[in-house]
Amino acid sequence: MRTQHPITERELRAAYKRSGLWRLGVTYERAIDVPAIRTALNCSVKAARRRAEQAGHPMPAQLGLI
């Protein structure tokens, strides 16, 4: 069973950058304030974690502490 770690702000910011919302003039703060966009960014983080895990490079649990 996979242990889910809380999603960090660093991961959310990386997902925001990958999404290209900044190109449309949507700030990170605005993106987080819109529930649908925040949900999409959370799902993006989870997908990135799964891809990293499948590639054999599990993301460190303490990534946000670095």
Side-chain angles (χ1 to χ4, degrees), residues 2-52:
R2 191 182 320 177
T3 303
Q4 282 293 349
H5 301 287
I7 293 175
T8 65
E9 183 178 354
R10 176 181 253 169
E11 290 175 308
L12 284 173
R13 285 188 181 273
Y16 163 78
K17 181 113 178 161
R18 283 192 310 271
S19 73
L21 288 169
W22 56 274
R23 290 184 187 123
L24 300 173
V26 178
T27 65
Y28 172 77
E29 291 76 19
R30 177 70 180 138
I32 292 302
D33 285 343
V34 176
I37 296 175
R38 183 179 179 94
T39 298
L41 292 176
N42 279 318
C43 290
S44 177
V45 169
K46 291 175 184 177
R49 286 179 174 181
R50 280 193 304 274
R51 282 191 304 272

